[in-house]
Amino acid sequence: AGVLVVGVRVAPLGSLHVLVLVEDRTQAKRLEEVRRDFVANVSHELKTPVSAIALLAETMDDAAEDPTAVRRFAQRMTRESQRLSALVQEIVQLSRLQDADSRHQPVPVDVDEAVLEAVDRTRLVADGRGVRITTRLAREGDGGPGDTPPAEVWGDRELVVTAVRNLVDNGVSYSDAGTRVAVVVTVVDERVEVVVSDQGIGIPESEVGRVFERFYRLDPARSRATGGTGLGLSIVKHVAATHGGEVGVWSSPGEGSTFTLRLPLRRAEDDGDGT
Ligand code: ADP
């Protein structure tokens, strides 16, 4: 619901490669659908860790004599609380996105800068997992500084940082130690493109169109272990739509995934009218 697949393309190198572009055209209609399902989904997702914590507390009480068991339960309670807290944070972000009226006045956003900040915020987790993050910014592009227009879009800086961060976070979470996540910013055809590619587990062709759905997870166990909520990509999709852009994914199981976020380039004539 709310997701329109605008193109599926098979790459020349192998039939497993699939490109799916997801674009939102009728924002009003989409918001209506989103609101309808959201409350039901949210209460379900919140209940799961809350019941787990309650159950663990009860069991821990029964096992009070056994220090090893107590420690194990305590660790699981910590994990469930972290998940709960991540969920609440992302739900707040999503509802802020959905509430168009409360949106900040659009400002010029330097995507190079936003990417650097997003990568900075992910660095610690990446180091912990042994995954290397590399960046190539638009201003470092082949054309040289004089030829490259600044990679600026018109919108909400925090949201752009969040979107890129979610993509980089995923690249790190769904990859093994010793691999690399590459983030490349370019300006192509009046658009700023952020491409995040990993060498991770990839996404099967049959699931690739669903990953942008709220709370959708291919492997809930793995996603939970890495602190995933199933909301990250739906936030990316919303940020893209809010900025008049789009997000696509191209993946090959066992080889990796590439997510592309495209946002309209800020042009000089956009200045002043704030739209
Ligand atoms: P989560 O919080 O679970 O990561 P997302 O909305 O960010 O939720 O992603 C939805 C699902 O898509 C994930 O649970 C995972 O199964 C899959 N996914 C997302 N990004 C990647 C990636 N880079 N590589 C492999 N699978 C991914």
Side-chain angles (χ1 to χ4, degrees), residues 200-253:
I201 59 175
I203 304 162
E205 194 177 325
S206 57
E207 309 297 307
V208 88
R210 301 201 58 193
V211 293
F212 293 97
E213 292 173 22
R214 284 178 319 281
F215 299 118
Y216 185 76
R217 284 163 291 185
L218 263 82
D219 178 354
R222 172 153 189 156
S223 166
R224 194 163 300 139
T226 57
T229 58
L231 284 175
L233 288 179
S234 67
I235 290 175
V236 178
K237 190 182 73 149
H238 281 268
V239 172
T242 315
H243 287 76
E246 61 191 15
V247 59
V249 54
W250 191 67
S251 189
S252 171

Side-chain angles (χ1 to χ4, degrees), residues 26-77:
T26 51
Q27 200 176 336
K29 191 161 168 263
R30 180 182 56 77
L31 287 180
E32 199 185 294
E33 285 170 5
V34 166
R35 288 210 178 89
R36 210 175 43 218
D37 306 340
F38 193 62
V39 178
N41 278 339
V42 159
S43 41
H44 172 78
E45 289 294 321
L46 288 176
K47 270 182 200 155
T48 314
V50 170
S51 333
I53 291 168
L55 193 71
L56 286 164
E58 214 174 285
T59 323
M60 194 156 114
D61 199 26
D62 293 341
E65 320 290 68
D66 179 355
T68 323
V70 168
R71 188 168 311 131
R72 208 172 59 236
F73 288 132
Q75 281 163 353
R76 284 180 57 192
M77 282 172 80

